[in-house]
Amino acid sequence: MGSFDVPLDDERTQLDAFIEEYRNAIELTLDGLTEEQARRQLVPSATTLLGLLKHVTWMQRVWFEECVGGTSRRELGLVPSPDASFQLSGDDTVASVTAAHREACATARTTIAGLPLDAVVTGHRTGPRTLRWVYLQVLRELAHHCGHADILREQVRAD
């Protein structure tokens, strides 16, 4: 179900639809690419298509597992900073990073199931916020990075 399928539904259904749409969109930017293309560095920063998917996986774990779930980054085995979350290891592949993303999304869905949007969550190190705020932050990050991924994919495919 996409965002255009839920224009008159409740706010939670709409937010879920937008987030799912962007989760799928960022994964699709890797569709049909070789491992080399997915890792190709086309900008001065360390940003790559595979690195973007790894970063949004980390980002969703931070907001849903740390902030909402209350488990620290250290306990989750997450790198401490956003910049480090883009870094690829030799073991990272399109398949492994995609699988990790899907697992993080499934965990996020379970973590927030049954919580109202007005629930105050306190697991983030910068302080409490509502679940609604977390949804909007995740949506903002996903949309932002989908734009980056679209441009990088266009560059990769042009080569």
Side-chain angles (χ1 to χ4, degrees):
M1 172 171 24
S3 59
F4 280 91
D5 298 321
V6 295
L8 300 176
D9 287 36
D10 63 278
E11 181 182 20
R12 179 72 173 258
T13 300
Q14 291 175 353
L15 289 169
D16 284 334
F18 273 93
I19 285 178
E20 292 301 330
E21 194 168 34
Y22 281 112
R23 284 173 170 163
N24 292 331
I26 199 153
E27 280 190 22
L28 284 173
T29 63
L30 294 171
D31 191 45
L33 298 184
T34 66
E35 295 293 331
E36 184 277 326
Q37 287 173 316
R39 289 174 162 271
R40 192 176 299 164
Q41 190 174 335
L42 298 165
V43 294
S45 72
T47 306
T48 63
L49 283 164
L50 192 58
L52 279 168
L53 185 60
K54 188 171 182 178
H55 168 72
V56 299
T57 301
W58 175 89
M59 175 272 298
Q60 290 182 83
R61 294 193 69 199
V62 165
W63 288 115
F64 293 118
E65 294 176 50
E66 179 185 38
C67 183
V68 177
T71 306
S72 73
R73 290 177 198 192
R74 185 182 50 72
E75 291 173 285
L76 292 168
L78 297 176
V79 296
S81 71
D83 288 344
S85 71
F86 284 90
Q87 300 302 314
L88 298 172
S89 74
D91 294 334
D92 287 327
T93 64
V94 171
S96 70
V97 174
T98 300
H101 181 249
R102 290 177 181 170
E103 182 178 334
C105 294
T107 300
R109 288 182 205 102
T110 300
T111 301
I112 61 175
L115 289 176
L117 291 174
D118 291 332
V120 175
V121 295
T122 59
H124 198 266
R125 59 188 178 194
T126 60
R129 59 216 55 238
T130 65
L131 180 59
R132 179 181 287 102
W133 188 97
V134 171
Y135 260 88
L136 293 171
Q137 172 63 15
V138 169
L139 181 58
R140 181 176 72 97
E141 286 245 7
L142 285 168
H144 181 76
H145 292 307
C146 277
H148 293 144
D150 286 342
I151 291 167
L152 290 177
R153 181 177 172 86
E154 186 177 320
Q155 289 179 317
V156 164
R157 301 292 288 188
D159 287 347

